Amino acid sequence: MCGIVAYLGKKQAYPILLKGLKRLEYRGYDSAGVALIDETLTVYKKKGKVQDLETFIGERSTAGSIGIGHTRWATHGKPDDINAHPHISSNGRLVLVHNGIIENYGLLKEALKKTGHSFETQTDTEVLVNLIEEIQKTDNLALEEAVRVALTKVRGAYAIVVMDKNDPDKLVAARKSSPLVVGVGDDGFYLASDGTPIVEHTRKVVYLKDEEIVTLTRSGEMDIKTISNEIQHPFIQELEFEIETIEKGGYDYFMLKEINEQPATIRECLRGRLNADEGWIKLSGVDNLVNKLLNADRFIIVGCGTSWHAGLIAEYLFEDFVRIPVEVEYASEFRYRNPIISERDIVFAISQSGETADTLAALELAKEKGASIYGVVNVVGSSIARITDEGSYIHAGPEIGVASTKAFTGQVTLLTMIALTLANKKGTISNAYYRQLITELEQIPNKVQQVLEKNAQIEFIAKEIMDAPNALYLGRGYNFPVALEGALKLKEISYIHAEGYPAAEMKHGPIALIDENMPVIVMATNRSAYEKIISNIQEVKARGGRVIAIISEGDKEIKEIADYTIEIPETEEPLTPLISVIPLQLLSYHIALMRGCNVDQPRNLAKSVTVE
Ligand code: M6R
């Protein structure tokens, strides 16, 4: 949510900032801006995409070897040129970019007005830059010290980078609950919300921790302090991903690339952790926490959006195999309902980005109450990965499309491995069934590939239903969370209103919505409730609804009654979600494209939601 990039060094900053902003655009894309210092301070800001900013800047001067840039997802103040970042302090000296929310900005603003500051924007960020200016001026402090003191006075979340027009040899940055990475290059320093703008310049990075402030100078010094003024020693790490993974690689959209990557990303998630021939699964995170996991009173799973759907599938898996009670919670609600958590609970945090503020807040509360935290995270080194006691990465590689696809199948793959390994250790699964499931799990990438090959057929069905104003997704058992995920995918990228329901719930209300305009996408692969699903389909047909059924290969009976069917390879029922979600991802993708929507950057959304 909002992307930040900055550079200080020997090269010209503007091309680095511009390219970095394009890489970070998935984090927010309602306006963008850059500030550069050469002889003087120059700021360019524009409503719209980074491309609009680039066009606006055109041939204007962009000189300067120090600069900061920002791509915004609006919180305070509508998306326009004025509210776009960077923001300048009243005396025109300091300039700042910010990702996050300053919660007490109202009070600070009133106090600053009394000391002569004027405000042009509705943003909390303009308040912060003026607060730093006020402290710098009044106490005659160095920029980094003024930033530090200012940050002791704010409440909320932030990643910031600040420059002083009068000192073009220094960048000061800080973070709390919003990510910030320092790149250490031969030609200078880079700062960014994640490694994607940095990786083509240097692999050496320092992940700033919460409440740390870094001061970077042109002469190559990097000093890190906490807000409470304790000196920290930078820990330099290597960025692990390859540049190709953050490029479209011949696809029109990241989403399509990421859908098609799934056979490879699921394989990567299994690699070195599962051996079907020898019959083992090995997850070091599980091994390290095994006693607590096996003796837990309860598993609580927290996540948001697609990650929450993966959590719902894990509820089925854990209860089915491990026989430990599970609660799946929206991270955003968990914290605000005084939940009962004990030291014998294990909280599973599921997150692609590892930066979702709601999930982080839920984990902080769970930690406070003494529960152990297990992370199922994609982004290496992210805040959630760091706050957990143990965890496993899903290794899906960078996911850039705002609609989550490969992260979902990665999360479900990993959660399946966790459930099976715990069940095996606990003795709640027979050895034969355990072996059967892991053999089948190893086959999932090939089966996903077979579904991807049905793309043309799915595109045809998409054309038939693309004009529908609403859609209903139905599923039972393991396929119920998949129905929710299918509906979320359709809503978020095509703006068609869609609902996911347990198939049997339809008759308790949603059936009233069904008419000839309503496409009903039915997940119909479950062997365990096959007859009941057929009845649900008949109920829809009897009311004129159009049925698109996801069926098992060779299923003739449903083919007879549904309007359209998409056959997917048979698998063990608990593994079905990994395959049945694929046609739903492709269906949403094609519908959105046909409706002229930007599938990678849907309106109002951002990839990484770092505000509560
Ligand atoms: O990074 P996270 O997995 O924590 O993100 C959670 C949700 O914000 C995310 O899944 C969101 O719902 C996606 N846009 C869904 O496609």
Side-chain angles (χ1 to χ4, degrees), residues 304-307 350-356 359 384 402-404 411 485 488-489 492 605-609:
C304 304
T306 289
S307 296
I350 308 183
S351 176
Q352 186 287 128
S353 62
E355 301 294 347
T356 301
T359 309
I384 293 176
V402 165
S404 188
Q411 290 163 346
E485 175 59 7
L488 176 64
K489 285 292 86 95
E492 71 179 331
L605 285 170
K607 182 71 182 161
S608 173
V609 186

Side-chain angles (χ1 to χ4, degrees), residues 51-104:
Q51 183 58 58
D52 298 310
L53 174 73
E54 186 178 9
T55 309
F56 168 72
I57 294 175
E59 298 303 311
R60 291 177 163 92
S61 164
T62 56
S65 56
I66 178 170
I68 59 180
H70 188 270
T71 177
R72 181 171 186 242
W73 184 88
T75 56
H76 296 63
K78 63 181 183 200
D80 60 18
D81 294 355
I82 308 244
N83 287 327
H85 297 215
H87 289 284
I88 308 178
S89 65
S90 303
N91 66 7
R93 196 174 145 181
L94 303 185
V95 58
L96 178 146
V97 286
H98 168 218
N99 167 23
I101 291 180
I102 304 302
E103 286 166 7
N104 57 338

